[in-house]
Amino acid sequence: MIASPTGGGNYLAVRPDWLARGVEAALEPELPIIDAHHHLWDRQGWRYLFDEYLADIAGSGHNVMASIFMQCQAMYRADGSAATRVVGETEFVNGIAAMSASGNYGPRHLCAGIVGHADLRLGEEVTPVLEAHIAAAPGRFSGIRHITVWDADRTLMNPLSAGPPGLLGDAAFRAGFARLAPLGLVFDAWLFHPQIPELTELARAFPHTTVVLDHLGGIVGIGAYKDRRADIFIEWTRAIRELARCENVCVKLGGLGMRINGFGFETQDAPPASEVLAEAWRPYIEVCIEAFGAHRCMFESNFPVDKGSYGYGSVWNAFKRLTRHASESDRANLFSGTAARVYGLALPG
C-alpha cells in the first residue's frame, strides 16, 4: 500500500510488487530477536497494524520473539485534555500486546515494551501524564519519546513531528525530562546527526536517566547534506564517540532506510539484497558497536517506515551478516539482550 500523502513526502512509498522481487531466506532462523523499534498505525492510505506487522515477521522466517513499540501519534484519544490524549496510544498498543501475549497468534510477545509520548515541556506537570501511561500498560510501558528533530533545511522535517531548535536545552523541557528517572522510564531520542552534541549535553546533565539514541543519530544525506557523505561520516563519528562516553546512553542500530538517509535503495529496479545493505551500513554499525559496546547497542527494524527501502527479512539478514564474526555474547546483546534489559521486558523464561 502506498504511503499516505499526510506525511508530506517524508515517507517512501511501500510497493509490495517491488518488495516481492527481493525476498530472501532467513539466515540463522533460530537466532532470538527482539525488534527494538517499530510502529503501528492506521493512517489515510496506509494501514500497518498487528496483522500487517505479524505478516512481515512470519514471512521473513526470522525468530522475532518480542518487540518494542515506538510512539508515532497513533490512536490518540478524541477527547480529554491535550496533555492526556496521548495516553490513547498506549491504551491501543497495550491491547495489541495482550492479543500477542494470548498465544493465539504464535509464541511471540509483540509490543512487550511500549514507548509513548508526553510533552516534556509541561515540566513537573507532566508527571500525571507519565503515571497515566504507566497505569494504561502496567508492566509494559517503558519510556517516552519527545521528538526533537530540527534543521535549518525545513524540507527535511516531517510536519507531524518537527520541533523548535534547541529543545533539548530548554529549561521547561528539562524539568519534564527530570521526571522520567524517578518513574523508571527511558527516554528515546530522535533527532538529526548535527544535534547529537545537544543530546550529549543532556545526557551529562542527567546521568541517572537512561537515554536511547534512535536510528544511529539520524544521519542525513539529502537536502543541504546531499553529496557530503564522507565529511558527514567524519562529523557523525566524532559526535557518536563523544556521546558514547555517557554511560547512560544506548543506541539503536537501524532506521537507515528512511528518506532522509539518502541511500537511494528505493530507486533500484529491485530491493537491495542483504549483502548490499550490510556493505552500505558497515562503517556506521561498526563505529557504534566499537564506541558503545554491544551491551549498549540494539538492532531495530523501524518498520513500516523503512519498508519503502527493503523487506523485513532482508534487514535482519543484513544485521546477521554484519555480526557474523562477533562473539556469541555480543550477538545475544545486539539482537535481544540489550533491548530486553534497557526496556525492562518481562518475557517468559
Side-chain angles (χ1 to χ4, degrees), residues 199-316:
L199 183 65
T200 302
E201 293 180 8
L202 179 69
R204 286 173 178 161
F206 295 89
H208 301 297
T209 303
T210 299
V211 175
V212 181
L213 177 67
D214 292 348
H215 315 325
L216 294 99
I219 303 158
V220 187
I222 62 173
Y225 301 89
K226 187 177 180 181
D227 300 325
R228 293 181 50 208
R229 193 165 296 278
D231 290 339
I232 287 170
F233 179 76
I234 294 171
E235 298 167 7
W236 170 84
T237 298
R238 185 182 303 113
I240 283 291
R241 288 174 175 165
E242 189 64 24
L243 178 63
R245 295 175 63 184
C246 300
E247 293 291 334
N248 57 320
V249 180
C250 301
V251 61
K252 287 180 181 175
L253 310 178
L256 292 174
M258 294 184 287
R259 179 187 71 95
I260 59 118
N261 302 130
F263 281 104
F265 300 131
E266 76 282 0
T267 66
Q268 301 173 14
D269 292 336
S274 58
E275 295 95 333
V276 173
L277 295 176
E279 187 63 25
W281 297 344
R282 185 177 301 280
Y284 305 95
I285 301 295
E286 290 184 347
V287 164
C288 283
I289 295 176
E290 178 187 358
F292 285 89
H295 67 292
R296 289 198 285 150
C297 293
M298 62 191 93
F299 285 126
E300 55 158 329
S301 73
N302 194 35
F303 262 51
V305 179
D306 283 21
K307 196 173 180 178
S309 289
Y310 38 73
Y312 196 82
S314 298
V315 66
W316 291 107

Side-chain angles (χ1 to χ4, degrees), residues 180-206:
L180 299 179
L183 292 172
L185 298 177
V186 171
F187 177 74
D188 262 72
W190 172 220
L191 39 70
F192 289 154
H193 73 264
Q195 298 174 277
I196 294 176
E198 298 176 38
L199 183 65
T200 302
E201 293 180 8
L202 179 69
R204 286 173 178 161
F206 295 89

